Amino acid sequence: MYEPIRTKSVHTPADHAADFPHRSREEELDIQLAGHLSALLAVTDELGLGEAGDRIAEQVARLRGAPPARHAGRTEASAPALHRRAHALAGRALVVAASRADTAAAILAAERMDAHAAAVAAPAATTRLVGAH
């Protein structure tokens, strides 16, 4: 009643394994970490934090095998908004760095989180002190 299948299924993975590139979990995490650090680098450069930017650029270059492009443009974002964005990006980088057991990147991301959290908190503390007088 039914005609037998005469050709192999197109869904057989072994037959098509070489048809598209495969990356290991570590390679995917490297790409993801480099992306988060590159975004953090752009915000860091926009804030004018040269030394911190250089340290981030070193990590991106290590992960990608080539130096990253540096951010030259300025946006209309306020410094507190940029620090909050940088804090979030550093947090994402920290999660991925911890996942791939990259100690150097994890330490750098944690340091940047602390620095940006302090920068966001500093104007609020100053405002409260000025208002107290």
Side-chain angles (χ1 to χ4, degrees):
M1 185 149 116
Y2 292 103
E3 186 174 336
I5 298 173
R6 294 188 179 133
T7 60
K8 288 187 176 186
S9 171
V10 295
H11 301 290
T12 306
D15 295 341
H16 301 286
D19 290 351
F20 54 92
H22 294 281
R23 289 190 280 253
S24 68
R25 181 176 186 273
E26 291 77 22
E27 290 171 325
E28 290 291 339
L29 289 173
D30 283 350
I31 292 166
Q32 200 174 56
L33 180 57
H36 290 315
L37 289 174
S38 293
L40 177 60
L41 176 61
V43 176
T44 303
D45 282 348
E46 189 164 344
L47 283 164
L49 304 173
E51 185 180 329
D54 293 342
R55 291 181 59 214
I56 296 168
E58 288 173 12
Q59 292 299 316
V60 173
R62 177 180 62 86
L63 292 165
R64 287 191 175 158
R70 300 296 294 258
H71 185 69
R74 300 280 184 225
T75 64
E76 298 299 318
S78 66
L82 290 171
H83 282 294
R84 284 190 295 275
R85 186 180 309 156
H87 184 270
L89 290 166
R92 291 182 190 128
L94 178 59
V95 169
V96 177
S99 177
R100 69 180 292 280
D102 187 332
T103 306
I107 290 171
L108 176 62
E111 289 172 355
R112 296 315 313 149
M113 283 183 73
D114 289 344
H116 293 295
V120 169
T126 306
T127 304
R128 275 185 259 133
L129 292 176
V130 171
H133 287 105

